[in-house]
Amino acid sequence: MQHLTLERHQVWIYLAAIALGLWVGMSAPGAAPFLDALLWPVLALLLFATFVQVPLWHLPAALADHRFMSATLIGNFVLVPLLVAALLPWLPDDPALRLGVLLVLLVPCTDWFITFTKLGGGDTLRAISVTPINLLAQLLLLPLYLWLFLGAELSLGLNPVELLPALFGLILLPLALAALLQRWINGHSSRVAVQRRLAWWPVPLLALVVAMIAASQVSAVLGALPALIQVLWLYLAFLLGAALLAKALARLFRLSTASGRTLAFSLGTRNSFVVLPLAIALPTGWETAVVVIVFQSLVELFGMVFYLWWIPWRLFAGRD
């Protein structure tokens, strides 16, 4: 099986993993503590394998295309937060649910965004070059966004200091190790095979993560089902609005058709991998945040099936 085939069918793998996890959680509820303990190293390995695929040392190449870079940064870090702000009032008044939605919608994707750009006729090289900028910008800006959106609500039963171990142990440490490995790989062409082998890891590892979350948080998953209907419509509205924002920015910055498609996939895909550790590290009572983040990933994958038709054949049709 080719790696691209695995990524095309990943949504079905995740659905099967969630179903298996729910069955395990209901059949063997005593396994929850063991799964909670196992979740952290698996999640760290997932993020490491994901970060290895991000060209962390390609920042100069990303900065070279000023128009595309400007459109991407304005879209992801100015217009998308404004879109989320417009959608947020439609959510129930539940701090945990709102926090989960904000965590996942405010940060652009750094992994399968490149895959869908390639499948959708976008500019893969631009997608690769802009990814490290998106990753670094979201790590810097996410705390500011959360303070602006939920400043008062975050103070209710949530101590941000409790998230520091997850931030450093599950995000910054894997990021640093991935950068060191990339530096080692870049030193010799024969070492590229290591990176290619690691590219197979994210899909099965994420399937294992969502299965363990479903098994250990089965009551939270089942309890959140009514709210997920409202969240579903918000996620669908976000996918539609993000693509239309990309179209407007592409016209404003006079981007090529391929660059416009790349921008649309950048604005439409979100970085659930990176924010998931933060949600899992939240104290008791905030489990809904984890559920809505995992749910967003599934909605987004189905949405990308629509994007792969709509973006290249309707919204950004034709050639340059």
Side-chain angles (χ1 to χ4, degrees):
M1 181 176 63
Q2 294 183 347
H3 179 243
L4 196 59
T5 303
L6 178 67
E7 292 192 328
R8 282 176 171 170
H9 295 91
Q10 58 189 309
V11 63
W12 307 112
I13 298 173
Y14 302 145
L15 286 173
I18 290 174
L20 176 62
L22 291 174
W23 177 78
V24 170
M26 290 184 286
S27 303
F34 169 76
L35 293 174
D36 283 337
L38 184 61
L39 180 61
W40 295 101
V42 174
L43 191 53
L45 189 58
L46 165 64
L47 287 167
F48 169 72
T50 301
F51 289 147
V52 168
Q53 311 310 315
V54 177
L56 299 170
W57 300 100
H58 287 194
L59 297 182
L63 296 172
D65 189 342
H66 301 294
R67 285 190 298 171
F68 178 74
M69 178 56 60
S70 298
T72 302
L73 291 177
I74 292 172
N76 275 314
F77 300 108
V78 178
L79 297 185
V80 163
L82 291 175
L83 173 62
V84 174
L87 295 173
L88 199 62
W90 296 96
L91 285 177
D93 189 17
D94 181 342
L97 185 146
R98 287 176 172 242
L99 176 59
V101 169
L102 288 171
L103 280 172
V104 74
L105 290 187
L106 289 173
V107 290
C109 184
T110 57
D111 38 81
W112 60 47
F113 147 62
I114 299 174
T115 300
F116 287 116
T117 296
K118 180 178 181 180
L119 294 173
D123 190 323
T124 307
L125 292 178
R126 280 188 170 84
I128 292 172
S129 66
V130 78
T131 298
I133 298 291
N134 280 340
L135 178 60
L136 295 178
Q138 66 189 251
L139 292 176
L140 293 172
L141 292 174
L142 182 59
L144 173 62
Y145 290 145
L146 294 180
W147 178 77
L148 289 173
F149 280 96
L150 289 177
E153 292 179 76
L154 283 177
S155 64
L156 301 176
L158 177 59
N159 183 2
V161 176
E162 297 176 353
L163 303 182
L164 292 180
L167 175 64
F168 287 99
L170 293 179
I171 298 178
L172 297 183
L173 180 58
L175 181 63
L177 293 176
L180 292 174
L181 180 61
Q182 284 187 13
R183 176 65 76 183
W184 178 78
I185 291 172
N186 293 338
H188 203 285
S189 59
S190 63
R191 299 170 183 170
V192 175
V194 175
Q195 188 174 29
R196 290 174 180 168
R197 283 194 290 269
L198 286 171
W200 287 84
W201 290 23
V203 172
L205 284 174
L206 181 58
L208 182 58
V209 165
V210 297
M212 289 191 292
I213 290 173
S216 62
Q217 305 286 344
V218 61
S219 59
V221 173
L222 297 178
L225 288 179
L228 292 183
I229 301 300
Q230 291 175 279
V231 176
L232 171 62
W233 291 110
L234 183 141
Y235 287 157
L236 294 177
F238 175 85
L239 286 167
L240 176 62
L244 295 177
L245 287 176
K247 182 65 175 181
L249 283 169
R251 287 180 175 174
L252 178 64
F253 286 91
R254 302 190 304 278
L255 300 182
S256 65
T257 300
S259 294
R261 293 170 183 169
T262 306
L263 181 62
F265 284 107
S266 179
L267 301 192
T269 53
R270 303 287 91 191
N271 210 351
S272 57
F273 286 7
V274 169
V275 298
L276 191 56
L278 299 178
I280 293 174
L282 293 170
T284 302
W286 293 78
E287 292 85 358
T288 305
V290 178
V291 176
V292 298
I293 289 173
V294 174
F295 183 61
Q296 189 277 337
S297 297
L298 297 175
V299 174
E300 180 176 293
L301 285 169
F302 281 109
M304 288 303 106
V305 175
F306 172 69
Y307 262 40
L308 289 177
W309 167 79
W310 187 37
I311 299 300
W313 297 104
R314 291 292 184 270
L315 198 63
F316 290 95
R319 296 184 177 182
D320 297 319

